Amino acid sequence: EIGVRLVGSEMCIRDSTILGGFNGTETLITDRDWKNNTTILSGDIGTENTITDNSYHVISNTNINRSAVLDGFTIEKGNAENNGGGGMYNNSSTSNSVVTSPTIYNCTFQNNKGFRGGAVFNDATRGSTGPYFENCIFQNNTASSGGGAIYQYSDESASSADIELVSSQFLNNITSSSGGGAIYLRADNSGTSSTHAGISNSVFLDNSAPNTNGSGGAIYFLNFSNSSTTLTITNSTFTQNAANLAGDAIYGVKTVENQGMAHANIYNSIFWKNTSSDSREISFVVTSNDNPTYATATLYNSIYDDNNNNSSLTLSSGISDGGGNNDGNGFPSANIFVNDYKLGNYTCHPAIDSGDNFAPNLNLSNTDVQGDTRIINGTVDMGAVEAQNFTAYTCLLYTSDAAD
């Protein structure tokens, strides 16, 4: 239930399917329209539009599996200022045996606040979390300690935190601390804990980390000691995200050399016109002599805006070129997008028919982030949006296998 402002009094998904999107006239579940019949779960339980007396968490889950489904809701105005996950708290902090892994479809998380994760906090301090989100929107959420939309954390040796994000949008989320305008991933140092995020067919637009030390306009990930933090990103678009210090779109930290792992594998994705002081789309903490021995990434079949107009692709320190990448130079327009993140229907486009059909997690959805057919002309496009009704053209682009 949604009740008074006490921890544990919020709604919980419990081994059932909860559906929104009805107007009361339907005779079949398939008649519902969650887009037009907005069903709101709100934390605004006290004085209206006064966030200080709102529910800590609109939804609080513990010890549930993927059979617990939430589908077709707007979750808003939770305020977990002392913990995290104003919209949803997935709690596996009490025991090593607790697993909390709900399934979320067609939901919007908006205007939530939290200490860790404005919208969602996946807390695997001792147990495991593994939520699945598909076709969800995270917008206008804020966090004071990382992850404007989502914060994911694991700690003890037996703990693991995993999240799958498919065909989802992260829009205008913000953190006022060290980083992760949209997402913050952390595996801590109490043992060999692990945290992983799988992201596919998703958009990151206008997220920010404006603090003095703010890094990772969209995503911040780090590990401690022997723990492991990894990302797999496929067919996703990062644009107009901003960090004050470093990592226009993504920032990684590996705290101890030769221990643990902090690594991202990125496929068929687009990094374009994100900004930070170091002017690197993806950036990492490195040693004092700029030797990339800490966090790393490998980039495959992707567009990486290297902020120069020369005839070669220049990748940031710590990024390995897996092949098939380009920097968008040679494209006849100043912007590869129209309407923020949709591919322009130009005669020469660096993203169209340039991806890899065998990239990991590409098969999780048959459609792009807009719900259109995912593969046209036989080869997948780069990014979250597939150009429709487009005739392929040959285009000269600057590519390189060298990283500096």
Side-chain angles (χ1 to χ4, degrees):
E1 62 179 352
I2 300 176
V4 297
R5 195 166 197 258
L6 296 172
V7 175
S9 67
E10 299 86 358
M11 177 179 176
C12 177
I13 311 167
R14 178 66 65 186
D15 299 330
S16 60
T17 297
I18 305 174
L19 301 175
F22 296 95
N23 64 14
T25 64
E26 297 85 359
T27 58
L28 298 172
I29 289 177
T30 53
D31 293 336
R32 72 189 182 107
D33 183 352
W34 58 269
K35 291 183 178 179
N36 293 309
N37 300 326
T38 305
T39 308
I40 298 174
L41 302 176
S42 177
D44 195 2
I45 60 172
T47 303
E48 188 173 3
N49 297 321
T50 300
I51 196 167
T52 55
D53 62 359
N54 289 12
S55 297
Y56 288 117
H57 317 288
V58 179
I59 301 168
S60 183
N61 302 311
T62 188
N63 207 26
I64 59 174
N65 59 33
R66 289 282 176 87
S67 67
V69 178
L70 189 74
D71 185 344
F73 288 88
T74 293
I75 299 97
E76 65 180 25
K77 299 181 180 179
N79 181 25
E81 76 269 340
N82 294 321
N83 186 6
M88 177 179 290
Y89 179 38
N90 294 315
N91 180 14
S92 292
S93 66
T94 57
S95 169
N96 291 343
S97 63
V98 174
V99 179
T100 305
S101 304
T103 300
I104 315 298
Y105 297 119
N106 308 317
C107 285
T108 296
F109 292 80
Q110 63 184 21
N111 303 319
N112 298 287
K113 297 184 68 175
F115 178 65
R116 294 176 169 178
V120 176
F121 180 22
N122 297 322
D123 184 358
T125 302
R126 299 184 66 189
S128 300
T129 60
Y132 178 92
F133 294 84
E134 183 172 340
N135 201 27
C136 291
I137 297 173
F138 299 84
Q139 62 186 10
N140 303 322
N141 302 288
T142 61
S144 58
S145 185
I150 295 173
Y151 191 109
Q152 181 159 288
Y153 175 77
S154 63
D155 189 1
E156 295 187 2
S157 296
S159 72
S160 64
D162 195 3
I163 187 171
E164 198 74 49
L165 297 156
V166 179
S167 298
S168 294
Q169 300 176 55
F170 292 82
L171 313 172
N172 196 39
N173 301 286
I174 186 171
T175 179
S176 58
S177 72
S178 58
I183 297 175
Y184 191 107
L185 305 170
R186 172 173 174 169
D188 225 327
N189 58 355
S190 296
T192 54
S193 67
S194 65
T195 186
H196 174 75
I199 302 168
S200 58
N201 276 346
S202 294
V203 169
F204 292 79
L205 170 70
D206 286 333
N207 304 286
S208 61
N211 184 275
T212 302
N213 295 317
S215 299
I219 298 175
Y220 186 112
F221 69 100
L222 80 160
N223 82 313
F224 288 86
S225 299
N226 290 315
S227 64
S228 170
T229 300
T230 55
L231 293 88
T232 303
I233 300 173
T234 305
N235 276 98
S236 293
T237 297
F238 296 77
T239 186
Q240 300 177 46
N241 302 286
N244 185 66
L245 184 62
D248 306 4
I250 297 176
Y251 189 73
V253 180
K254 186 173 183 289
T255 58
V256 181
E257 187 176 357
N258 300 321
Q259 289 188 29
M261 177 184 292
H263 183 76
N265 285 313
I266 302 169
Y267 307 83
N268 299 352
S269 293
I270 299 174
F271 296 84
W272 191 258
K273 303 305 180 188
N274 303 286
T275 59
S276 73
S277 295
D278 76 349
S279 297
R280 295 178 175 181
E281 294 284 340
I282 304 172
S283 187
F284 304 109
V285 169
V286 295
T287 56
S288 58
N289 63 351
D290 205 37
N291 181 22
T293 57
Y294 288 2
T296 54
T298 306
L299 198 67
Y300 306 85
N301 295 91
S302 295
I303 293 176
Y304 183 90
D305 182 5
D306 58 8
N307 293 293
N308 65 53
N309 295 312
N310 61 26
S311 59
S312 64
L313 171 64
T314 303
L315 294 176
S316 307
S317 298
I319 303 177
S320 298
D321 190 335
N325 302 299
N326 73 77
D327 61 1
N329 290 332
F331 180 59
S333 172
N335 197 339
I336 65 173
F337 297 122
V338 293
N339 298 327
D340 291 328
Y341 59 84
K342 299 175 179 63
L343 299 181
N345 208 4
Y346 301 105
T347 57
C348 174
H349 201 293
I352 294 174
D353 296 339
S354 298
D356 177 8
N357 289 358
F358 299 98
N361 299 333
L362 180 60
N363 62 349
L364 290 178
S365 176
N366 293 323
T367 62
D368 66 8
V369 73
Q370 298 182 115
D372 294 323
T373 301
R374 178 66 266 192
I375 298 179
I376 304 292
N377 294 326
T379 303
V380 67
D381 295 345
M382 296 175 179
V385 176
E386 191 83 9
Q388 306 291 309
N389 303 316
F390 183 81
T391 302
Y393 292 82
T394 300
C395 181
L396 175 63
L397 295 166
Y398 300 133
T399 62
S400 174
D401 291 328
D404 74 353

